[in-house]
Amino acid sequence: SNQDEEYITSEEACNLLNVSSRTLERYVKYGLLQKHRRRIGREVFYKRSEVEDLLRIRPVEDIGDQ
């Protein structure tokens, strides 16, 4: 159920994926990852399950960094 979903910070997501925060933002921009807000406020979270799914398909680290 949705209640069981684990949310992690962008810092934790970067660590899991082994990418920079800039690359994480790029994943969001290209629709590879979705930002979630758990309550009213600016703090953004990612679903651990979605981050782990991304690890499996492993997009190229440096999209657009050229």
Side-chain angles (χ1 to χ4, degrees), residues 9-63:
T9 64
S10 57
E11 186 180 10
E12 290 171 310
C14 286
N15 289 339
L16 261 179
L17 292 165
N18 196 30
V19 297
S20 66
S21 55
R22 189 170 161 215
T23 296
L24 192 68
E25 286 297 329
R26 206 171 286 120
Y27 289 172
V28 171
K29 180 180 168 187
Y30 287 106
L32 295 167
L33 199 56
Q34 195 181 347
K35 285 181 179 177
H36 300 272
R37 283 177 175 78
R38 299 184 63 184
R39 45 191 173 267
I40 295 161
R42 278 192 292 277
E43 200 173 357
V44 166
F45 296 89
Y46 298 86
K47 286 186 182 177
R48 181 185 282 278
S49 60
E50 292 174 1
V51 171
E52 288 174 347
D53 285 346
L54 194 53
L55 264 178
R56 278 194 278 282
I57 60 169
R58 214 43 179 140
V60 177
E61 152 80 54
D62 293 320
I63 302 169

